[in-house]
Coordinates of all heavy atoms in Angstrom, one line a residue:
M1 N 0.8 -1.2 0.0 CA 0.0 0.0 0.0 C 0.9 1.2 0.0 O 0.5 2.3 -0.6 CB -1.0 0.0 1.2 CG -2.0 -1.2 1.2 SD -2.8 -1.5 -0.4 CE -3.9 -0.1 -0.5
E2 N 2.0 1.2 0.6 CA 2.9 2.3 0.7 C 3.4 2.7 -0.8 O 3.5 3.8 -1.1 CB 4.1 2.0 1.5 CG 3.8 2.0 3.0 CD 3.6 3.4 3.6 OE1 4.1 4.4 3.1 OE2 2.9 3.4 4.6
K3 N 3.6 1.6 -1.6 CA 4.1 1.9 -3.0 C 3.0 2.6 -3.8 O 3.2 3.5 -4.5 CB 4.5 0.6 -3.7 CG 5.9 0.2 -3.3 CD 6.3 -0.9 -4.3 CE 7.8 -1.0 -4.1 NZ 8.5 -1.4 -5.2
A4 N 1.7 2.1 -3.6 CA 0.6 2.7 -4.3 C 0.4 4.1 -3.8 O 0.2 5.0 -4.7 CB -0.7 1.9 -4.0
N5 N 0.6 4.4 -2.6 CA 0.5 5.8 -2.1 C 1.6 6.6 -2.7 O 1.4 7.8 -3.1 CB 0.5 5.8 -0.5 CG 0.3 7.2 0.0 OD1 -0.7 7.8 -0.3 ND2 1.3 7.7 0.7
N6 N 2.9 6.1 -2.7 CA 4.0 6.8 -3.3 C 3.7 7.1 -4.7 O 4.0 8.2 -5.2 CB 5.3 6.1 -3.1 CG 5.8 6.0 -1.7 OD1 5.4 6.9 -0.9 ND2 6.6 5.1 -1.4
F7 N 3.2 6.2 -5.5 CA 2.8 6.4 -6.9 C 1.8 7.5 -7.0 O 2.0 8.5 -7.8 CB 2.2 5.1 -7.5 CG 1.6 5.3 -8.8 CD1 2.3 5.4 -9.9 CD2 0.2 5.4 -8.9 CE1 1.7 5.6 -11.2 CE2 -0.4 5.6 -10.1 CZ 0.3 5.7 -11.3
L8 N 0.8 7.5 -6.2 CA -0.2 8.6 -6.3 C 0.4 9.9 -5.9 O 0.0 11.0 -6.6 CB -1.4 8.2 -5.4 CG -2.2 7.0 -5.9 CD1 -3.3 6.7 -4.9 CD2 -2.9 7.3 -7.2
E9 N 1.2 10.0 -4.9 CA 1.8 11.2 -4.5 C 2.7 11.8 -5.6 O 2.7 13.0 -5.9 CB 2.6 11.0 -3.2 CG 1.8 10.8 -2.0 CD 1.0 12.0 -1.5 OE1 1.4 13.1 -1.8 OE2 0.0 11.8 -0.9
M10 N 3.4 10.9 -6.3 CA 4.3 11.3 -7.4 C 3.5 11.9 -8.5 O 3.8 12.9 -9.1 CB 5.2 10.2 -7.9 CG 6.3 9.9 -6.9 SD 7.4 8.5 -7.5 CE 8.3 9.4 -8.8
V11 N 2.3 11.3 -8.8 CA 1.5 11.8 -9.9 C 0.9 13.1 -9.5 O 0.9 14.1 -10.3 CB 0.3 10.8 -10.2 CG1 -0.7 11.4 -11.1 CG2 0.9 9.5 -10.8
I12 N 0.5 13.3 -8.3 CA -0.1 14.6 -7.8 C 1.0 15.6 -7.9 O 0.8 16.8 -8.4 CB -0.7 14.4 -6.4 CG1 -1.9 13.6 -6.5 CG2 -1.0 15.8 -5.8 CD1 -2.4 13.1 -5.1
E13 N 2.2 15.3 -7.3 CA 3.3 16.3 -7.3 C 3.7 16.8 -8.7 O 4.3 17.9 -8.8 CB 4.5 15.8 -6.5 CG 4.2 15.6 -5.0 CD 5.3 14.9 -4.3 OE1 6.4 14.7 -4.9 OE2 5.1 14.5 -3.1
N14 N 3.6 15.9 -9.6 CA 4.1 16.1 -11.0 C 3.0 16.2 -12.0 O 3.2 16.0 -13.2 CB 5.1 15.1 -11.4 CG 6.3 15.0 -10.4 OD1 7.1 15.9 -10.5 ND2 6.3 14.0 -9.6
A15 N 1.8 16.7 -11.6 CA 0.6 16.8 -12.4 C 0.9 17.7 -13.6 O 0.3 17.5 -14.7 CB -0.6 17.2 -11.7
D16 N 1.8 18.6 -13.5 CA 2.0 19.6 -14.6 C 3.1 19.1 -15.6 O 3.4 19.7 -16.6 CB 2.5 20.9 -14.1 CG 1.3 21.6 -13.3 OD1 0.1 21.3 -13.6 OD2 1.6 22.4 -12.4
A17 N 3.8 17.9 -15.2 CA 4.8 17.4 -16.1 C 4.2 16.8 -17.4 O 3.1 16.4 -17.4 CB 5.6 16.3 -15.3
L18 N 5.0 16.9 -18.4 CA 4.6 16.3 -19.7 C 4.4 14.8 -19.5 O 5.3 14.1 -19.0 CB 5.7 16.5 -20.8 CG 5.9 18.0 -21.2 CD1 7.1 18.1 -22.1 CD2 4.6 18.6 -21.8
L19 N 3.3 14.3 -20.0 CA 3.0 12.9 -19.9 C 4.1 12.0 -20.6 O 4.4 10.9 -20.1 CB 1.6 12.6 -20.5 CG 1.0 11.2 -20.2 CD1 0.9 11.0 -18.7 CD2 -0.3 11.1 -20.8
K20 N 4.6 12.5 -21.7 CA 5.7 11.7 -22.4 C 7.1 12.1 -22.0 O 8.0 11.6 -22.5 CB 5.5 11.9 -23.9 CG 4.3 11.3 -24.5 CD 4.2 11.4 -26.0 CE 3.0 10.7 -26.5 NZ 3.0 10.6 -28.0
G21 N 7.2 12.9 -21.0 CA 8.5 13.3 -20.4 C 9.1 12.2 -19.7 O 8.5 11.2 -19.2
Q22 N 10.4 12.3 -19.4 CA 11.2 11.3 -18.8 C 10.7 11.0 -17.4 O 10.5 9.8 -17.0 CB 12.6 11.7 -18.7 CG 13.6 10.6 -18.2 CD 15.0 11.0 -18.3 OE1 15.3 12.2 -18.6 NE2 15.9 10.1 -18.0
L23 N 10.3 12.0 -16.6 CA 9.8 11.8 -15.2 C 8.5 11.0 -15.2 O 8.4 10.0 -14.5 CB 9.6 13.1 -14.5 CG 9.0 13.1 -13.1 CD1 10.0 12.3 -12.2 CD2 8.7 14.4 -12.6
M24 N 7.5 11.4 -16.0 CA 6.3 10.7 -16.0 C 6.4 9.3 -16.6 O 5.7 8.4 -16.2 CB 5.2 11.5 -16.7 CG 4.8 12.7 -16.0 SD 4.3 12.4 -14.2 CE 2.7 11.6 -14.5
Q25 N 7.3 9.1 -17.5 CA 7.5 7.7 -18.1 C 8.0 6.8 -16.9 O 7.7 5.7 -16.8 CB 8.5 7.7 -19.2 CG 8.0 8.3 -20.5 CD 6.8 7.5 -21.0 OE1 7.0 6.3 -21.3 NE2 5.7 8.1 -21.2
Y26 N 8.9 7.4 -16.1 CA 9.4 6.6 -14.9 C 8.3 6.3 -14.0 O 8.1 5.2 -13.5 CB 10.5 7.5 -14.2 CG 10.8 6.9 -12.8 CD1 11.6 5.8 -12.7 CD2 10.4 7.5 -11.7 CE1 11.9 5.3 -11.5 CE2 10.7 7.0 -10.4 CZ 11.4 5.9 -10.3 OH 11.8 5.4 -9.1
V27 N 7.4 7.3 -13.7 CA 6.3 7.2 -12.7 C 5.3 6.1 -13.2 O 4.8 5.3 -12.5 CB 5.6 8.5 -12.5 CG1 4.4 8.3 -11.7 CG2 6.6 9.5 -11.8
L28 N 5.0 6.2 -14.5 CA 4.0 5.3 -15.1 C 4.4 4.0 -15.6 O 3.6 3.2 -16.1 CB 3.3 6.1 -16.2 CG 2.6 7.4 -15.8 CD1 2.1 8.1 -17.1 CD2 1.5 7.1 -14.8
R29 N 5.7 3.6 -15.4 CA 6.2 2.4 -15.9 C 5.6 1.1 -15.1 O 5.8 0.0 -15.6 CB 7.7 2.3 -15.9 CG 8.3 2.2 -14.5 CD 9.8 1.9 -14.5 NE 10.1 1.6 -13.2 CZ 11.1 2.1 -12.5 NH1 11.9 2.9 -13.1 NH2 11.4 1.7 -11.3
G30 N 5.1 1.4 -14.0 CA 4.5 0.3 -13.2 C 5.3 0.0 -12.0 O 6.4 0.4 -11.8
M31 N 4.7 -0.9 -11.1 CA 5.4 -1.2 -9.9 C 5.9 -2.6 -9.9 O 5.5 -3.5 -10.7 CB 4.4 -1.1 -8.7 CG 4.0 0.3 -8.4 SD 3.1 0.3 -6.9 CE 1.4 0.3 -7.6
T32 N 6.9 -2.9 -9.1 CA 7.5 -4.2 -9.0 C 7.4 -4.5 -7.5 O 7.3 -3.7 -6.6 CB 8.9 -4.3 -9.5 OG1 9.7 -3.4 -8.7 CG2 9.0 -3.9 -10.9
D33 N 7.6 -5.8 -7.2 CA 7.7 -6.2 -5.8 C 9.1 -6.2 -5.4 O 9.9 -7.0 -5.7 CB 7.1 -7.6 -5.6 CG 6.9 -8.0 -4.2 OD1 7.0 -7.1 -3.3 OD2 6.7 -9.2 -3.9
G34 N 9.5 -5.1 -4.7 CA 10.9 -4.9 -4.3 C 11.0 -3.4 -4.2 O 10.0 -2.7 -4.2
G35 N 12.2 -2.9 -4.1 CA 12.3 -1.5 -4.0 C 13.7 -1.1 -3.8 O 14.7 -1.8 -4.1
Y36 N 13.9 0.1 -3.3 CA 15.2 0.7 -3.1 C 15.4 0.8 -1.6 O 14.5 0.8 -0.8 CB 15.2 2.1 -3.7 CG 15.0 2.1 -5.2 CD1 13.7 2.4 -5.7 CD2 16.0 1.8 -6.0 CE1 13.5 2.4 -7.1 CE2 15.8 1.7 -7.4 CZ 14.6 2.0 -7.9 OH 14.4 2.0 -9.3
W37 N 16.7 0.9 -1.2 CA 17.1 0.9 0.2 C 16.4 2.1 0.9 O 16.0 2.0 2.0 CB 18.6 1.1 0.2 CG 19.1 1.2 1.6 CD1 19.6 2.3 2.3 CD2 19.1 0.1 2.6 NE1 19.9 2.0 3.6 CE2 19.6 0.6 3.8 CE3 18.8 -1.2 2.6 CZ2 19.8 -0.1 5.0 CZ3 18.9 -2.0 3.8 CH2 19.4 -1.4 4.9
S38 N 16.3 3.3 0.2 CA 15.7 4.4 0.8 C 14.3 4.2 1.2 O 13.8 4.7 2.2 CB 15.9 5.7 -0.1 OG 15.2 5.4 -1.3
E39 N 13.6 3.4 0.3 CA 12.2 3.1 0.7 C 12.1 2.2 1.9 O 11.2 2.4 2.7 CB 11.5 2.4 -0.5 CG 11.3 3.3 -1.7 CD 10.9 2.5 -3.0 OE1 11.0 1.3 -3.0 OE2 10.3 3.2 -3.8
A40 N 13.0 1.3 2.0 CA 13.1 0.4 3.2 C 13.3 1.2 4.4 O 12.7 1.0 5.5 CB 14.1 -0.7 3.0
V41 N 14.3 2.1 4.4 CA 14.6 3.0 5.5 C 13.4 3.8 5.9 O 13.0 3.9 7.1 CB 15.8 3.9 5.2 CG1 16.0 5.0 6.2 CG2 17.0 3.1 5.0
D42 N 12.6 4.4 4.9 CA 11.4 5.2 5.2 C 10.4 4.3 5.9 O 9.8 4.8 6.9 CB 10.8 5.7 3.9 CG 11.7 6.8 3.3 OD1 12.5 7.4 3.9 OD2 11.4 7.1 2.1
L43 N 10.2 3.1 5.5 CA 9.2 2.2 6.1 C 9.6 1.9 7.6 O 8.8 1.8 8.5 CB 9.0 0.9 5.3 CG 8.3 1.1 4.0 CD1 8.2 -0.2 3.2 CD2 6.8 1.6 4.3
I44 N 10.9 1.6 7.8 CA 11.4 1.3 9.1 C 11.3 2.4 10.0 O 10.8 2.3 11.2 CB 12.9 0.8 9.0 CG1 12.9 -0.6 8.3 CG2 13.5 0.7 10.4 CD1 14.3 -1.1 8.0
E45 N 11.6 3.6 9.5 CA 11.4 4.8 10.4 C 10.0 5.1 10.7 O 9.6 5.6 11.8 CB 12.0 6.0 9.7 CG 13.5 6.0 9.6 CD 14.2 7.1 8.9 OE1 13.4 7.9 8.2 OE2 15.4 7.3 9.0
K46 N 9.1 4.8 9.8 CA 7.6 5.0 10.0 C 7.0 4.0 10.9 O 6.2 4.4 11.8 CB 6.9 5.0 8.6 CG 5.5 5.4 8.7 CD 4.9 5.6 7.3 CE 3.5 6.0 7.3 NZ 2.9 6.2 5.9
Y47 N 7.3 2.7 10.7 CA 6.6 1.6 11.4 C 7.4 0.9 12.4 O 6.9 0.1 13.2 CB 6.0 0.6 10.4 CG 5.0 1.3 9.5 CD1 5.2 1.4 8.1 CD2 3.7 1.7 9.9 CE1 4.3 2.0 7.3 CE2 2.8 2.2 9.1 CZ 3.1 2.4 7.8 OH 2.1 3.0 6.9
G48 N 8.8 0.9 12.2 CA 9.7 0.2 13.0 C 9.8 -1.3 12.5 O 9.3 -1.6 11.5
V49 N 10.4 -2.1 13.3 CA 10.6 -3.5 12.9 C 10.4 -4.4 14.2 O 10.5 -3.9 15.3 CB 12.0 -3.8 12.4 CG1 12.3 -3.1 11.1 CG2 13.1 -3.4 13.3
V50 N 10.0 -5.6 13.9 CA 9.8 -6.6 15.0 C 10.4 -7.9 14.6 O 10.5 -8.2 13.4 CB 8.3 -6.8 15.4 CG1 7.7 -5.5 15.9 CG2 7.5 -7.3 14.2
P51 N 10.8 -8.7 15.5 CA 11.3 -10.0 15.2 C 10.3 -10.9 14.5 O 9.1 -10.7 14.7 CB 11.7 -10.7 16.5 CG 11.7 -9.5 17.5 CD 10.8 -8.5 17.0
K52 N 10.7 -11.8 13.6 CA 9.8 -12.6 12.8 C 9.0 -13.5 13.7 O 7.8 -13.8 13.4 CB 10.7 -13.5 11.8 CG 9.8 -14.1 10.8 CD 10.7 -14.8 9.7 CE 9.8 -15.3 8.6 NZ 10.6 -15.7 7.5
Q53 N 9.5 -13.8 14.9 CA 8.7 -14.7 15.8 C 7.5 -13.9 16.3 O 6.4 -14.5 16.7 CB 9.5 -15.1 17.0 CG 10.7 -15.9 16.7 CD 12.0 -15.0 16.4 OE1 11.9 -13.9 16.0 NE2 13.1 -15.7 16.5
V54 N 7.5 -12.6 16.3 CA 6.4 -11.8 16.8 C 5.4 -11.5 15.7 O 4.2 -11.5 15.9 CB 6.9 -10.4 17.4 CG1 5.8 -9.5 17.8 CG2 7.9 -10.7 18.6
Q55 N 5.9 -11.3 14.5 CA 5.1 -11.0 13.3 C 5.5 -11.9 12.2 O 6.3 -11.5 11.3 CB 5.2 -9.5 12.9 CG 4.4 -9.1 11.7 CD 2.9 -9.2 12.0 OE1 2.5 -8.7 13.0 NE2 2.1 -9.7 11.1
P56 N 5.1 -13.1 12.2 CA 5.5 -14.1 11.1 C 4.9 -13.7 9.7 O 3.9 -12.9 9.7 CB 4.9 -15.4 11.6 CG 3.8 -15.1 12.5 CD 4.1 -13.7 13.1
E57 N 5.4 -14.2 8.7 CA 4.9 -14.0 7.4 C 3.5 -14.5 7.3 O 3.1 -15.5 8.0 CB 5.8 -14.7 6.3 CG 7.2 -14.2 6.2 CD 7.3 -12.8 5.5 OE1 6.4 -12.5 4.7 OE2 8.2 -12.1 5.8
T58 N 2.7 -13.9 6.4 CA 1.4 -14.4 6.1 C 1.3 -14.9 4.7 O 2.2 -14.7 3.9 CB 0.4 -13.2 6.3 OG1 0.6 -12.2 5.3 CG2 0.4 -12.6 7.7
Y59 N 0.2 -15.5 4.4 CA 0.0 -15.9 3.0 C 0.1 -14.7 2.0 O 0.8 -14.8 1.0 CB -1.4 -16.5 2.8 CG -1.7 -16.9 1.4 CD1 -1.3 -18.1 0.9 CD2 -2.4 -16.0 0.5 CE1 -1.5 -18.5 -0.4 CE2 -2.6 -16.4 -0.8 CZ -2.2 -17.6 -1.3 OH -2.4 -18.0 -2.6
Q60 N -0.5 -13.6 2.4 CA -0.5 -12.4 1.6 C 0.9 -11.8 1.4 O 1.3 -11.4 0.3 CB -1.4 -11.3 2.1 CG -2.9 -11.6 2.0 CD -3.4 -12.6 3.0 OE1 -2.7 -12.9 4.0 NE2 -4.6 -13.1 2.8
S61 N 1.7 -11.8 2.5 CA 3.1 -11.2 2.4 C 4.0 -12.1 1.6 O 5.0 -11.7 1.0 CB 3.6 -11.0 3.8 OG 3.9 -12.2 4.5
N62 N 3.7 -13.4 1.5 CA 4.5 -14.3 0.7 C 4.0 -14.5 -0.8 O 4.6 -15.1 -1.6 CB 4.5 -15.7 1.3 CG 5.5 -15.8 2.4 OD1 6.6 -15.2 2.3 ND2 5.1 -16.6 3.5
H63 N 2.8 -13.9 -1.1 CA 2.2 -14.0 -2.4 C 1.8 -12.6 -2.9 O 0.6 -12.4 -3.2 CB 1.0 -15.0 -2.4 CG 1.4 -16.3 -2.0 ND1 1.5 -16.8 -0.7 CD2 1.8 -17.4 -2.7 CE1 1.9 -18.0 -0.6 NE2 2.1 -18.4 -1.9
T64 N 2.7 -11.7 -3.1 CA 2.4 -10.4 -3.5 C 2.3 -10.2 -5.0 O 1.9 -9.2 -5.5 CB 3.4 -9.4 -3.0 OG1 4.7 -9.7 -3.5 CG2 3.4 -9.3 -1.5
D65 N 2.7 -11.2 -5.8 CA 2.7 -11.1 -7.2 C 1.3 -10.8 -7.8 O 1.2 -10.0 -8.7 CB 3.3 -12.4 -7.9 CG 2.6 -13.7 -7.4 OD1 2.0 -13.6 -6.3 OD2 2.6 -14.7 -8.2
R66 N 0.3 -11.4 -7.3 CA -1.1 -11.1 -7.8 C -1.5 -9.6 -7.5 O -2.1 -9.0 -8.3 CB -2.0 -12.0 -7.2 CG -3.4 -12.0 -7.8 CD -4.2 -13.1 -7.3 NE -5.6 -13.1 -7.8 CZ -6.6 -13.8 -7.4 NH1 -6.4 -14.7 -6.5 NH2 -7.8 -13.7 -7.9
F67 N -1.1 -9.1 -6.3 CA -1.4 -7.8 -6.0 C -0.7 -6.8 -6.9 O -1.3 -5.8 -7.4 CB -1.0 -7.5 -4.5 CG -1.2 -6.1 -4.0 CD1 -2.5 -5.6 -3.9 CD2 -0.1 -5.3 -3.8 CE1 -2.7 -4.3 -3.4 CE2 -0.3 -4.0 -3.3 CZ -1.6 -3.5 -3.2
V68 N 0.6 -7.0 -7.1 CA 1.4 -6.1 -8.0 C 0.8 -6.2 -9.4 O 0.7 -5.1 -10.1 CB 2.9 -6.5 -7.9 CG1 3.6 -5.7 -9.0 CG2 3.4 -6.2 -6.5
A69 N 0.5 -7.4 -9.9 CA -0.1 -7.5 -11.2 C -1.4 -6.7 -11.4 O -1.6 -6.1 -12.4 CB -0.3 -9.0 -11.6
T70 N -2.2 -6.8 -10.3 CA -3.5 -6.0 -10.4 C -3.2 -4.5 -10.4 O -3.9 -3.8 -11.2 CB -4.3 -6.4 -9.1 OG1 -4.6 -7.8 -9.2 CG2 -5.6 -5.6 -9.1
L71 N -2.3 -4.0 -9.6 CA -2.0 -2.6 -9.6 C -1.5 -2.2 -11.0 O -1.9 -1.1 -11.5 CB -0.9 -2.3 -8.5 CG -1.4 -2.3 -7.1 CD1 -0.3 -2.1 -6.1 CD2 -2.6 -1.4 -6.9
N72 N -0.6 -3.0 -11.6 CA -0.1 -2.7 -12.9 C -1.2 -2.7 -14.0 O -1.2 -1.9 -14.9 CB 1.1 -3.5 -13.3 CG 2.4 -3.1 -12.5 OD1 2.6 -1.9 -12.3 ND2 3.1 -4.1 -12.1
R73 N -2.1 -3.6 -13.9 CA -3.2 -3.7 -14.8 C -4.1 -2.5 -14.7 O -4.5 -1.9 -15.7 CB -4.0 -5.0 -14.6 CG -5.0 -5.3 -15.7 CD -5.6 -6.7 -15.5 NE -6.2 -7.0 -14.2 CZ -5.7 -7.8 -13.3 NH1 -4.6 -8.5 -13.6 NH2 -6.2 -8.0 -12.2
L74 N -4.3 -2.0 -13.5 CA -5.1 -0.8 -13.3 C -4.4 0.4 -13.9 O -5.0 1.4 -14.3 CB -5.4 -0.6 -11.8 CG -6.4 -1.6 -11.2 CD1 -6.4 -1.5 -9.7 CD2 -7.8 -1.6 -11.8
R75 N -3.1 0.4 -13.8 CA -2.3 1.5 -14.3 C -2.4 1.7 -15.8 O -2.2 2.8 -16.3 CB -0.8 1.2 -13.9 CG 0.2 2.1 -14.5 CD 1.6 1.6 -14.4 NE 1.9 0.4 -15.1 CZ 2.2 0.4 -16.4 NH1 2.2 1.4 -17.1 NH2 2.5 -0.8 -17.0
T76 N -2.7 0.7 -16.5 CA -2.8 0.8 -18.0 C -3.7 1.8 -18.5 O -3.6 2.3 -19.6 CB -3.1 -0.6 -18.6 OG1 -4.4 -1.0 -18.2 CG2 -2.0 -1.6 -18.3
G77 N -4.6 2.3 -17.6 CA -5.5 3.4 -18.0 C -4.7 4.7 -18.1 O -5.2 5.7 -18.7
F78 N -3.4 4.7 -17.7 CA -2.6 5.9 -17.8 C -1.6 5.7 -18.9 O -0.5 6.3 -18.8 CB -1.8 6.1 -16.4 CG -2.7 6.4 -15.3 CD1 -3.0 5.5 -14.3 CD2 -3.3 7.7 -15.2 CE1 -3.8 5.7 -13.3 CE2 -4.1 7.9 -14.1 CZ -4.4 7.0 -13.1
D79 N -1.9 4.9 -19.9 CA -0.9 4.7 -21.0 C -0.4 6.0 -21.6 O -1.1 6.8 -22.0 CB -1.6 3.8 -22.1 CG -0.6 3.4 -23.1 OD1 0.6 3.5 -22.9 OD2 -1.0 2.9 -24.2
A80 N 0.9 6.1 -21.5 CA 1.5 7.4 -21.9 C 2.1 7.3 -23.4 O 2.8 8.2 -23.8 CB 2.7 7.7 -21.0
S81 N 1.8 6.3 -24.1 CA 2.3 6.2 -25.5 C 1.5 7.0 -26.5 O 0.5 7.5 -26.2 CB 2.4 4.7 -25.9 OG 1.1 4.1 -25.8

């Protein structure tokens, strides 16, 4: 959900940018399951961390491919070509 929020924030912040410009092409390329170190740091600072024994993996956290595919399918309405 954080990635989806970051995507929406980037679109809002850059609403005046050219749709075919380099920045918007980056924003609209879609999401992947993974990220950058800075994103991990932001999440840790926001929510903290706990040992895996306290918060074990769930079915959803181990199967994010369908969620990411759905978000990218919804994104196709923003086709910049």
